[in-house]
Amino acid sequence: MKHDQLQDFRNRLEQSRQALLDNLDSLAEAGKTVELDQTRVGRLSRMDAMQGQQMALASIRRQEQKLIAIEAAMKRIEAGDFGFCADCDELINPRRLEVDPTNTLCIDCASKDG
């Protein structure tokens, strides 16, 4: 893969990484423990708050997984392994990486796993 292509992927990954970190900061407030004081919040409101908390925690987990994938892709760029399939070591089509630079499998190997 060409140096300028790698630099473009690195920049995109870094931007995605920063956006995820910013979003995780804002989700941290929503994932805080729900108050159980019924004198301040009614039972149904508390249940709604608990559901919102669980949804926020699930979103945090998904975003943390994306962050791990982004950081792994950045490490592959640094190591010179970026763009190669983790299963067959063939080049991953750059168009596939354009869609998602964290892809680790070529289309053939990804189709086998599906």
Side-chain angles (χ1 to χ4, degrees), residues 38-71:
Q38 285 189 355
T39 61
R40 294 186 58 206
V41 178
R43 182 175 172 209
L44 292 177
S45 296
R46 192 174 74 247
M47 289 176 68
D48 285 341
M50 289 169 62
Q51 181 181 17
Q53 175 200 29
Q54 290 305 309
M55 290 171 39
L57 291 173
S59 182
I60 288 170
R61 284 189 295 272
R62 282 191 306 274
Q63 293 200 17
E64 286 173 340
Q65 290 299 320
K66 286 181 187 178
L67 189 59
I68 290 168
I70 287 171
E71 290 174 349

Side-chain angles (χ1 to χ4, degrees), residues 24-44:
L24 282 170
D25 286 343
S26 66
L27 284 173
E29 183 67 30
K32 286 187 177 179
T33 303
V34 176
E35 240 179 82
L36 297 178
D37 184 0
Q38 285 189 355
T39 61
R40 294 186 58 206
V41 178
R43 182 175 172 209
L44 292 177

